[in-house]
């Protein structure tokens, strides 16, 4: 981990994964567990939390000023990286990974580096599926798209109807909050929630639990310090899928 100051890194390659998502590779390898995150400093714009999709890369969805600046960068440009921070996934036995959209990034290394992984990959359309090809070369991949343009027609949680959850010792999940709430409900109903872990994303300023901007209700735990990975049972009564808080701390559905 860095000593609290950003490590300057040089961008070596930018790979477009889908129309709205790019992977930014840089010239420094970070030692991190799958699921940990870093704070990415885009000079002159902002510092934002991002999962490490590879030890030397972050995968970015263009959603605001900082991410727009990041995906427009070229090889040779410099950014700052603090971290890694937070906890990673506790992985054992046969693993079921469930990802939606850019939420595939925190789970990517699990599919590439761990044996006996089944990967459920969801997106709105076929064009928005990311990492399908590279994951398919390393593990079993099943696909769902909201519009039916690839794989199962429906939300990725629908793929769980085809899965015998008793065959898996670890279930890891990352994606948009409504998608994760749907998966959480299915796992609860099928008595598999105890072996599930969810990677949460919230607005962050410091990354080390000082500012409180990423606290989640009702327990007040910080996603940056106490997460970003939480057990399924811990999230049952949480705000997940109901609302989150914006930069001003106000609730947003």
């Amino acid at each position: 981990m860095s000593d609290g100051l950003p490590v300057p890194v040089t961008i070596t390659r930018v790979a477009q994964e889908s129309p709205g998502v790019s992977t930014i590779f840089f010239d420094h390898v970070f030692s991190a567990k799958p699921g940990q995150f870093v704070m990415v400093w885009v000079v002159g714009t902002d510092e934002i939390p991002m999962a490490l999709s590879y030890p030397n890369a972050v995968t970015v969805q263009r959603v605001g000023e900082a991410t727009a600046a990041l995906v427009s960068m070229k090889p040779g440009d410099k950014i700052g990286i603090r971290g890694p921070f937070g906890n990673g996934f506790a992985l054992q036995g046969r693993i079921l990974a469930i990802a939606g959209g850019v939420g595939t990034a925190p789970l990517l290394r699990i599919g590439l580096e761990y044996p006996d992984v089944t990967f459920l990959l969801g997106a709105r359309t076929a064009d928005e599926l990311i990492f399908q090809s590279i994951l398919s070369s390393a593990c079993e991949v099943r696909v769902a798209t909201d519009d039916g343009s690839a794989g199962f027609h429906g939300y990725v949680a629908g793929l769980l109807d085809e899965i015998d959850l008793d065959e898996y010792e670890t279930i890891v999940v990352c994606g948009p909050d409504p998608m994760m709430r749907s998966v959480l409900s299915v796992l609860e109903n099928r008595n598999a929630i105890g072996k599930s872990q969810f990677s949460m994303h919230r607005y962050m300023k410091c990354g080390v639990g000082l500012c409180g901007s990423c606290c989640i209700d009702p327990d007040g735990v910080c996603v940056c310090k106490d997460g970003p990975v939480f057990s399924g049972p811990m999230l049952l009564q949480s705000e997940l899928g109901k609302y989150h808080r914006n930069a001003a701390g106000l609730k947003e559905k």
Side-chain angles (χ1 to χ4, degrees), residues 53-54 107-115 117 119 131 134-139:
S53 45
Y54 298 94
L107 308 185
L108 177 62
R109 288 178 53 204
I110 297 173
L112 298 182
E113 299 175 10
Y114 286 77
V117 177
F119 213 108
F131 300 127
I134 190 171
L135 282 168
S136 296
S137 69
C139 65

Side-chain angles (χ1 to χ4, degrees), residues 74-144:
K74 302 292 189 293
D77 290 342
K78 293 185 181 296
I79 56 177
I81 303 287
R82 284 196 298 129
F85 297 121
N87 60 355
F89 293 101
L91 303 168
Q92 61 180 2
R94 193 175 185 194
I95 300 170
L96 177 64
I98 308 169
V102 76
T104 310
L107 308 185
L108 177 62
R109 288 178 53 204
I110 297 173
L112 298 182
E113 299 175 10
Y114 286 77
D116 209 1
V117 177
T118 300
F119 213 108
L120 308 186
L121 184 61
R124 290 183 296 183
T125 69
D127 287 343
E128 295 179 53
L129 288 165
I130 63 173
F131 300 127
Q132 181 182 3
S133 178
I134 190 171
L135 282 168
S136 296
S137 69
C139 65
E140 178 188 0
V141 177
R142 303 188 189 187
V143 167

